[in-house]
Amino acid sequence: MSKPKVLVARAIFPESIERLAQHFEVESNQADEVWSKAQLIARLQGKVGVFTTGSERIDAELLDACPGLKICANMAVGYNNFDTDAMTAHGVLGTNAPDVLTETTADFGFALLMATARRIAESEHFLRAGQWQKWAYDMFSGSDIHGSTLGIIGMGRIGQGIARRGAHGFGMKVIYHNRSRLDAALEAECKASYVGKDELLKTADHVVLVVPYTPASHHTIGAAEIALMKPTATLINIARGGIVDDAALAVALKEKRIAAAGLDVFEGEPKVHPDLLTVPNVVLTPHIASATVPTRKAMADLAVDNLIGYLVNGKPLTPVNPAVLAKN
Ligand code: DGY
């Protein structure tokens, strides 16, 4: 009997493909071409499952054109590339990769915060460019992390991880804003206090964004929100492009309305707003918050487990639209 067919949409660990090949006929993309929607649709013909990385848009147009598709397994905790309503309407399951990247991503959020507040990237560029001629008392003076106020917008698992690092490791006062308030035990464990968004923006020395991208969270931070922040504050975005209005941020950084920003995600990435590339007080990284070898392997394993779990055993591990399961 022939095996069901699955597509792996981007290059991935060879062992992930080997695992999939034990159960499926696999078409992979180890050349790592970035396919257009039409190319993706063409390759999805006859496939029941697809391994996605978070960059492939799965919407009604694609689903209409791929009637055999049953599951899209994202190797990412975020799944804003999925139109989940359209997927549910088409009976297509989506899965994501939560939990396995929480601590790694929280580590990175903290690393980006440190690099930004202490001007590490900017000073390294200065040194490499041969500009360091003498020590000076005010050279690359940044702002303190320890003892400062950390404001976290989006207090899911990653936000909580950052709160713990700040409160327990650096003696920071932690305030947070979230759609819903954490229960008292979790607030106590994270040493975090719930505040309104405006109060957080006005009070925090460092603002870290960890909210999922939805139409409602689009431009959570724009010119009006930046205007509320302290001129000495830093802003860190490890959430998604589109959570921050990058054009407004570039203006604010240029005019020093806030001290600095650290960005791992961008509107329209991999393109970066050109004005962000010319301001010195921003640290820019290419969407690598979850990028350690063990974590990326664990994320890939979970996506593979979801494909096997659903297509072979009928039991996906981390569905994002479980209504599809109820329908079956
Ligand atoms: C995620 O898992 O959502 C990360 O942003 C990597 O895409």
Side-chain angles (χ1 to χ4, degrees), residues 70-74 79 82 84 87-88 91-96 306 310 316 318-322 324-325:
K70 292 194 166 87
I71 173 173
C72 305
N74 242 9
Y79 52 90
F82 291 168
T84 47
M87 289 170 74
T88 305
V92 175
L93 188 75
T95 62
N96 68 339
N306 272 310
Y310 188 48
T318 48
V320 299
N321 56 345
V324 169
L325 302 172

Side-chain angles (χ1 to χ4, degrees), residues 53-54 75-79 97 101 238-240 265 287 289-290 296 299:
T53 60
M75 180 193 156
V77 65
Y79 52 90
L101 48 54
I238 57 164
R240 273 291 180 272
V265 286
H287 202 147
S290 63
R296 286 282 164 90
M299 292 163 73

Side-chain angles (χ1 to χ4, degrees), residues 10 52-57 74 81:
R10 293 289 306 277
T52 47
T53 60
S55 331
E56 302 75 22
R57 178 95 192 122
N74 242 9
N81 58 317

Side-chain angles (χ1 to χ4, degrees), residues 23-91:
H23 303 272
F24 309 113
E25 192 179 311
V26 183
E27 180 180 341
S28 60
N29 179 13
Q30 291 303 74
D32 208 26
E33 289 165 13
V34 178
W35 293 328
S36 66
K37 183 182 244 181
Q39 289 170 316
L40 179 60
I41 288 173
R43 286 184 163 87
L44 279 171
Q45 298 310 303
K47 309 290 192 307
V48 290
V50 58
F51 181 121
T52 47
T53 60
S55 331
E56 302 75 22
R57 178 95 192 122
I58 307 294
D59 59 12
E61 184 194 350
L62 179 141
L63 295 165
D64 283 341
C66 305
L69 195 60
K70 292 194 166 87
I71 173 173
C72 305
N74 242 9
M75 180 193 156
V77 65
Y79 52 90
N80 53 303
N81 58 317
F82 291 168
D83 177 340
T84 47
D85 290 341
M87 289 170 74
T88 305
H90 285 77

Side-chain angles (χ1 to χ4, degrees), residues 9 20 73 96 99 122 180 182 203 212 228 230 242 258 284 291-292 324 327:
L20 287 170
N96 68 339
D99 302 326
E122 194 186 345
S180 49
L182 300 185
T203 323
L228 296 176
K230 296 180 181 180
I258 59 170
L284 308 168
T292 65
V324 169
K327 274 189 187 173

Side-chain angles (χ1 to χ4, degrees), residues 150-156 159-160 174-182 187 192-201 204 207-212 220-221:
L150 172 63
I152 301 174
I153 300 185
M155 199 61 159
Q160 291 164 33
V174 180
I175 54 178
Y176 76 96
H177 184 70
N178 199 41
R179 260 177 317 180
S180 49
R181 196 170 165 168
L182 300 185
E187 276 190 357
S193 313
Y194 183 84
V195 293
K197 183 176 152 192
D198 285 4
E199 187 185 338
L200 182 145
L201 292 169
V207 176
V208 180
L209 304 170
V210 213
V211 275
T220 296
I221 302 293

